[in-house]
């Protein structure tokens, strides 16, 4: 299949491009390289440099490449930032998605995969969280993804566009020592902890230890980027059988303290941790029930142990202590 991957030079997008190519698909990446990295681009993927807010650029890539499917990763993705700058998310994320979808509908694209998020479940009373849990976005970021999920419903209804909404829990790890996580600024727990181990930071701050969890720190479901990428390839192959929505996590929760402790073991570094206040928008526990995708597509996460996740991330951080080095 000829597929268009927006954000294909980003963290999860670039990992997915590798598996799409391995599965025999042809890939064109659409990326403005603001958060993505040229060095993360697969040499066999074509690059169309452009911005999704530029509708003419989106139309050009559709006309030039005539994709049969679209994987839409490009997005602002930070919960905390979205609480500070809600319109960046409610406007840009939604408008970028609408530009892409309208152009896709006009060009007859009938397959679409959306990167969605566990932040849809900002308020929940059942753990693990399956697809029937009520959607109450925890932030403008989650809301922007919720709106796009709703719009996809109408794309299917009006144009027969089959979609998959994949709600990632905490993406983590690296697919190889040369393809990993590099955000600026970095806000995610695992890369921050590993930057302490590299001597780039003095300590990691724990955002609150008075949550209703076993050790008081937040519990998250850390799902490896390899496993996320695999889910995209499986979902793409299944789309012709109908639209679908999946929660994607490894089904196990790890607390902030457990992540730090595992990182001490993997790196051999003491990784000092200091206690700070809670971060707005953080629910106490987010753990996925991924039975639906396991049952329907045979998806099975390969990385379920925190140690294995951290080892893969640590290999990337050691090989690339300054990330892709393009900032
Ligand atoms: N966290 C933390 N200190 C940090 C960064 C994150 O304690 O410097 C916590 C955060 O409150 C959350 C968990 O680690 O409970 C994972 O946060 P991250 O930003 O990696 O992902 P998110 O859950 O926001 O998608």
């Amino acid at each position: 299949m000829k597929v268009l991957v927006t954000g294909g030079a980003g963290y999860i997008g670039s990992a997915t491009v590798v598996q799409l190519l391995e599965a025999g698909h042809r890939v064109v990446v659409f990326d403005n390289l603001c958060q993505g990295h040229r060095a993360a681009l697969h040499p066999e993927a074509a690059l169309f440099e452009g911005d999704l807010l530029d509708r003419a650029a989106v139309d050009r890539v559709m006309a030039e490449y005539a994709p049969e499917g679209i994987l839409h990763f490009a997005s602002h993705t930070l919960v905390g930032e979205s609480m500070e700058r809600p319109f960046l998310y409610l406007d840009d994320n939604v408008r970028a998605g609408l530009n892409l979808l309208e152009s896709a509908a006009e060009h007859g694209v009938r397959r679409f995969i959306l990167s969605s998020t566990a932040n849809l479940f900002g308020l929940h009373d059942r753990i693990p969280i399956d697809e029937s849990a009520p959607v109450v976005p925890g932030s403008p970021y989650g809301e922007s993804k919720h709106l796009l999920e709703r719009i996809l419903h109408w794309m299917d209804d009006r144009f027969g566009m089959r979609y998959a909404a994949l709600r990632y829990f905490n993406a983590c790890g690296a697919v190889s020592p040369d393809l990993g996580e590099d955000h600026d600024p970095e806000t995610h727990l695992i890369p921050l902890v590993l930057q302490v181990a590299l001597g780039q930071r003095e300590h990691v701050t724990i955002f609150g230890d008075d949550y209703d969890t076993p050790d008081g720190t937040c519990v998250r479901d850390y799902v490896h980027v390899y496993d996320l990428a695999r889910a995209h390839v499986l979902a793409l192959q299944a789309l012709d059988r109908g639209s679908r929505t999946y929660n994607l996590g490894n089904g196990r929760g790890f607390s902030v303290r457990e992540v730090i402790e595992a990182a001490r073991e993997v790196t051999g570094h003491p990784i000092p941790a200091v206690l700070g206040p809670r971060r707005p928008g953080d629910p106490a526990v987010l753990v996925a029930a991924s039975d639906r995708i396991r049952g329907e597509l045979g998806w099975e996460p390969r990385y379920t142990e925190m140690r294995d996740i951290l080892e893969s991330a640590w290999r990337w951080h050691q090989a690339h202590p300054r990330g892709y080095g393009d900032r």
Side-chain angles (χ1 to χ4, degrees):
M1 209 184 285
K2 242 196 295 178
V3 291
L4 176 68
V5 181
T6 76
Y11 174 43
I12 307 172
S14 63
T16 304
V17 166
V18 174
Q19 291 193 31
L20 287 167
L21 290 165
E22 281 170 7
H25 299 295
R26 275 182 292 158
V27 175
V28 56
V29 166
F30 187 98
D31 203 301
N32 62 11
L33 299 176
C34 283
Q35 299 176 78
H37 306 272
R38 208 174 280 280
L41 274 173
H42 196 288
E44 285 165 37
L47 171 66
F48 191 104
E49 209 173 325
D51 197 304
L52 290 171
L53 296 176
D54 176 0
R55 174 64 200 272
V58 178
D59 285 340
R60 272 202 304 281
V61 77
M62 295 288 177
E64 222 172 280
Y65 288 94
E68 299 160 85
I70 296 175
L71 288 84
H72 178 40
F73 294 92
S75 177
H76 299 292
T77 59
L78 301 176
V79 170
E81 182 184 54
S82 82
M83 298 294 267
E84 306 291 325
R85 303 177 65 190
F87 291 108
L88 187 63
Y89 286 72
L90 295 170
D91 186 338
D92 282 15
N93 276 3
V94 177
R95 207 145 43 90
L98 278 173
N99 278 345
L100 184 61
L101 283 167
E102 196 176 355
S103 184
E106 285 174 13
H107 288 83
V109 185
R110 295 290 175 263
R111 300 180 191 87
F112 194 95
I113 299 187
L114 173 71
S115 300
S116 188
T117 173
N119 192 262
L120 296 190
F121 308 110
L123 264 185
H124 53 272
D125 48 15
R126 266 178 309 158
I127 294 287
I129 302 169
D130 67 19
E131 292 80 2
S132 69
V135 171
V136 185
S139 69
Y141 164 59
E143 191 71 61
S144 71
K145 296 293 183 175
H146 178 47
L147 291 168
L148 289 173
E149 286 196 5
R150 291 299 309 155
I151 293 164
L152 282 174
H153 162 78
W154 294 109
M155 295 298 105
D156 187 330
D157 187 88
R158 294 297 78 213
F159 305 111
M161 190 187 288
R162 305 292 179 237
Y163 68 87
L166 303 183
R167 296 150 166 186
Y168 315 153
F169 282 59
N170 285 61
C172 60
V175 289
S176 83
D178 295 323
L179 209 54
E181 192 167 7
D182 176 6
H183 299 114
D184 184 29
E186 189 51 75
T187 63
H188 294 104
L189 179 65
I190 290 178
L192 287 174
V193 164
L194 295 178
Q195 286 175 2
V196 178
L198 283 172
Q200 296 174 350
R201 293 175 191 268
E202 297 284 305
H203 63 263
V204 59
T205 303
I206 296 173
F207 295 153
D209 73 346
D210 57 349
Y211 286 95
D212 186 14
T213 60
D215 67 16
T217 65
C218 288
V219 171
R220 292 287 179 274
D221 183 328
Y222 293 89
V223 54
H224 199 281
V225 66
Y226 170 90
D227 291 319
L228 289 179
R230 176 93 191 115
H232 288 77
V233 176
L234 293 173
L236 184 65
Q237 285 156 3
L239 276 188
D240 291 346
R241 304 199 300 273
S243 294
R244 50 201 68 230
T245 296
Y246 295 125
N247 288 1
L248 279 184
N250 79 44
R252 291 183 59 183
F254 296 93
S255 74
V256 174
R257 284 199 194 282
E258 284 173 330
V259 171
I260 297 170
E261 193 46 50
R264 289 176 178 137
E265 284 168 25
V266 166
T267 64
H269 188 282
I271 310 185
V274 304
L275 184 60
R278 288 183 174 200
R279 183 175 67 177
D282 267 344
V285 182
L286 285 174
V287 177
S290 297
D291 306 31
R292 187 187 278 179
I293 187 169
R294 289 171 191 252
E296 291 184 9
L297 304 188
W299 180 75
E300 206 53 62
R302 181 185 277 185
Y303 293 85
T304 54
E305 299 295 332
M306 183 46 67
R307 219 193 142 82
D308 297 337
I309 288 170
L310 286 169
E311 274 171 1
S312 77
W314 184 226
R315 279 193 290 273
W316 148 257
H317 282 279
Q318 283 179 299
H320 299 270
R322 299 282 162 205
Y324 291 101
D326 53 359
R327 307 245 188 243

